[in-house]
Amino acid sequence: MEFPDVGERCSMKNCKQLNFLPLKCDYCLNIFCTEHFHIDAHKCLNFHDNIVHSKVKRSNYVCSDKCCKETSPIEMLCIKCKKHFCLQHRYHGCLEYTNEEKTTKLKKWQIPKKQFAEAKAIVDQQISDNLKKSKNVAMANKVRLMRVKGSAVGPKNIPVNERFYLHVYPPTSISNKHIKPSKGVYVNVNWVYGKVIDSIADTLKISNNNSIAGACKLQLFHHTNGALICNEMDMPITKLCESSKLIDGQSVILEYSDNITVDTSLYK
């Protein structure tokens, strides 16, 4: 027994099979049996038309170059002229500077370059001067130390490798000819500042009242500017050397004074 009102027949002319579970093609919307449902089986024309239409739709961005007809599914706009160009013509001269713009930008770029060159020249000159000065000072210190060592006196029990040399200008009140106008003296580099003054006074036979309260004390001053070297009698000489307040072979002034400076013109 047949049920003509139930199901639908296949749309293929040579088939027309009745299907109780009909299959509809998504492209041509016709009904097919399981054998002819596939798009290749019924040669679906709508499927091919859809593919062609999709290709055309995806390729609708044409290069803006007059001599180019290249299409692209992706729009690539120039940031300046806002036109689409293919990869081959993406550098189409839109972003190039004119000669006037190039000259202006070149001048602008040269300003910091010139400033840097000028600053570098100044710094290089300062470094060169400092190095030259440093070399001259170091050489002068070596020469002065050699001269002081040649005639320096001091306690003979100080090992040679522990001797620290000073070129001493004695107090203006001293008239001893054997120490005028100055004398090389050595002390122990491991001593403290107060013991150094006591040893120099003892070596040069200069009256020393540093242990007497209220008496005018002997102090050491820089011969270059008359400034007091140190006011702490327990300061190690090594500390003064580390801070460059004292240099081996340096010229110093030994004077009775409670001031922080002395007149260097009196010690020649």
Side-chain angles (χ1 to χ4, degrees):
M1 181 181 292
E2 294 186 1
F3 302 92
D5 295 332
V6 178
E8 294 187 51
R9 295 188 180 278
C10 177
S11 297
M12 288 293 291
K13 292 182 180 180
N14 298 330
C15 180
K16 299 297 182 179
Q17 179 180 338
L18 182 65
N19 298 282
F20 295 101
L21 294 174
L23 301 175
K24 182 186 291 186
C25 176
D26 292 333
Y27 297 98
C28 64
L29 304 180
N30 291 324
I31 302 300
F32 295 96
C33 63
T34 56
E35 183 181 352
H36 299 107
F37 169 71
H38 194 273
I39 53 177
D40 289 333
H42 66 268
K43 298 180 181 180
C44 184
L45 298 178
N46 285 12
F47 173 76
H48 295 291
D49 291 342
N50 185 70
I51 294 297
V52 172
H53 177 72
S54 299
K55 287 183 177 180
V56 172
K57 186 176 182 180
R58 287 197 301 267
S59 305
N60 59 350
Y61 297 110
V62 182
C63 179
S64 297
D65 188 277
K66 294 181 179 179
C67 300
C68 180
K69 295 184 179 180
E70 182 74 23
T71 58
S72 172
I74 301 173
E75 187 177 22
M76 295 179 289
L77 298 178
C78 171
I79 60 175
K80 187 173 182 179
C81 66
K82 306 301 180 182
K83 294 181 179 180
H84 167 79
F85 288 91
C86 65
L87 293 176
Q88 184 179 355
H89 297 107
R90 62 187 183 278
Y91 301 114
H92 53 281
C94 187
L95 298 177
E96 292 184 3
Y97 294 114
T98 64
N99 292 334
E100 184 178 351
E101 288 176 330
K102 288 180 181 179
T103 303
T104 303
K105 288 188 175 293
L106 183 61
K107 289 181 179 179
K108 185 178 179 180
W109 293 336
Q110 286 176 342
I111 292 175
K113 183 179 179 181
K114 183 179 179 181
Q115 292 174 341
F116 174 79
E118 292 175 350
K120 184 177 182 298
I122 294 173
V123 173
D124 288 345
Q125 185 61 45
Q126 290 176 344
I127 293 174
S128 178
D129 293 343
N130 289 339
L131 288 174
K132 185 177 179 181
K133 182 179 179 181
S134 177
K135 289 179 181 178
N136 292 340
V137 171
M139 181 58 69
N141 289 339
K142 288 182 180 179
V143 173
R144 183 169 57 239
L145 177 59
M146 292 174 61
R147 289 178 179 175
V148 173
K149 281 184 175 180
S151 60
V153 294
K156 297 187 181 299
N157 61 345
I158 299 177
V160 176
N161 63 334
E162 295 181 7
R163 292 179 180 180
F164 185 81
Y165 295 85
L166 293 170
H167 183 216
V168 181
Y169 287 82
T172 54
S173 60
I174 298 300
S175 58
N176 295 1
K177 293 183 179 181
H178 71 284
I179 58 175
K180 285 290 187 175
S182 59
K183 186 67 176 177
V185 177
Y186 62 81
V187 296
N188 195 312
V189 72
N190 298 312
W191 288 349
V192 295
Y193 181 67
K195 188 173 182 179
V196 168
I197 294 178
D198 293 341
S199 178
I200 294 174
D202 185 60
T203 299
L204 300 181
K205 296 179 173 56
I206 297 172
S207 178
N208 180 11
N209 300 321
N210 283 12
S211 60
I212 301 174
C216 191
K217 301 186 185 308
L218 280 171
Q219 296 277 14
L220 287 177
F221 300 85
H222 290 283
H223 185 258
T224 54
N225 56 18
L228 182 66
I229 291 177
C230 182
N231 58 4
E232 299 178 29
M233 293 299 174
D234 59 347
M235 175 68 69
I237 293 299
T238 52
K239 292 288 186 181
L240 295 175
C241 293
E242 290 174 2
S243 61
S244 298
K245 291 184 177 180
L246 271 180
I247 300 173
D248 202 7
Q250 178 179 334
S251 295
V252 296
I253 298 170
L254 180 68
E255 187 56 85
Y256 300 102
S257 177
D258 293 328
N259 298 324
I260 59 174
T261 59
V262 295
D263 185 0
T264 58
S265 64
L266 300 175
Y267 308 88
K268 299 295 183 181

